[in-house]
């Protein structure tokens, strides 16, 4: 479902970002990483300012994201993974705990940690969310990371922004 929100493209030059992705479902997560990298590079982030880390699966994302954020070396951390529903309740545990942990990593560190985890009922749904382009969930998470980094900087510098104007 596409929203009507338009993003004003912000330069993210000079901003460092961490991408933490999973090896599990790498046929999908590799495309999420590619989407995130493209969005960051297109926004002026240099290759040297994109730091990639891998973890085994989605359940491990929160700890790695928290560790990356706690270094205070990154303006934002982008968590990328895929959880596909199966015949057991495993999906609910992994997806729910990952979402909660990723959110907590951002709240605990004060560094934006973006949730770029696809939760899908089928492989086809996962496939649709990691195709190249703006609908790629890695791309969406990276654009949100840029926006959140700029917003947090505005807040820290006590510079007001318009509630009706998008930062990115």
């Amino acid at each position: 479902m596409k929203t009507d929100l338009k993003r004003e493209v912000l330069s993210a030059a000079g901003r460092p970002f961490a991408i933490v992705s999973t090896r599990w479902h790498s046929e999908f997560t590799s495309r999420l990483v590619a989407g995130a990298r493209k969005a960051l590079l297109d926004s002026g982030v240099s290759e040297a300012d994109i730091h990639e880390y891998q973890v085994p699966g989605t359940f491990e994302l929160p700890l790695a994201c928290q560790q990356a954020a706690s270094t205070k070396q990154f303006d934002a951390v982008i968590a990328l993974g895929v959880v596909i529903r199966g015949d057991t309740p495993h999906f609910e545990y992994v997806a729910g705990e990952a979402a909660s942990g990723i959110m907590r990593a951002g709240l605990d560190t004060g560094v934006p940690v973006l949730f770029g985890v696809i939760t899908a009922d089928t492989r086809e749904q996962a496939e649709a969310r990691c195709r190249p382009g703006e609908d790629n969930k890695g791309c969406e998470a990276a654009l949100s990371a840029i926006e959140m980094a700029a917003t947090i900087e505005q807040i820290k510098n006590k510079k007001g922004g318009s509630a009706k104007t998008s930062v990115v």
Side-chain angles (χ1 to χ4, degrees):
M1 172 169 68
K2 195 85 165 146
T3 65
D4 291 335
L5 298 176
K6 298 278 184 186
R7 291 185 192 252
E8 182 182 317
V9 178
L10 240 195
S11 172
R15 290 188 183 277
F17 293 88
I19 299 172
V20 183
S21 66
T22 66
R23 283 192 306 276
W24 192 256
H25 291 305
S26 64
E27 69 275 23
F28 300 123
T29 57
S30 63
R31 289 185 270 164
L32 294 175
V33 170
R37 287 182 60 76
K38 181 174 180 353
L40 293 172
L41 292 169
D42 288 352
S43 297
V45 178
S46 73
E47 284 281 350
D49 283 333
I50 301 172
H51 303 267
E52 292 184 35
Y53 305 94
Q54 274 198 333
V55 296
T58 301
F59 196 77
E60 292 78 27
L61 281 172
L63 179 58
C65 289
Q66 183 180 45
Q67 289 297 304
S70 69
T71 69
K72 304 293 186 186
Q73 294 177 20
F74 307 108
D75 284 10
V77 177
I78 304 161
L80 302 174
V82 176
V83 183
I84 301 173
R85 188 178 303 278
D87 295 331
T88 68
H90 182 76
F91 173 91
E92 284 81 11
Y93 296 120
V94 171
E97 292 301 323
S100 177
I102 289 167
M103 178 182 67
R104 195 173 74 240
L107 293 173
D108 289 351
T109 63
V111 173
V113 180
L114 285 294
F115 186 77
V117 177
I118 294 172
T119 54
D121 288 325
T122 65
R123 294 182 70 77
E124 292 75 22
Q125 288 175 345
E127 174 71 36
R129 291 174 175 89
C130 66
R131 290 188 181 120
E134 290 182 14
D135 289 338
N136 177 293
K137 297 306 175 192
C139 174
E140 287 181 8
L143 292 174
S144 293
I146 293 166
E147 184 173 349
M148 285 300 297
T151 300
I152 296 300
E153 182 178 39
Q154 281 182 337
I155 292 167
K156 285 181 177 180
N157 293 330
K158 296 184 176 106
K159 293 182 181 174
S162 169
K164 294 184 179 186
T165 303
S166 177
V167 178
V168 172

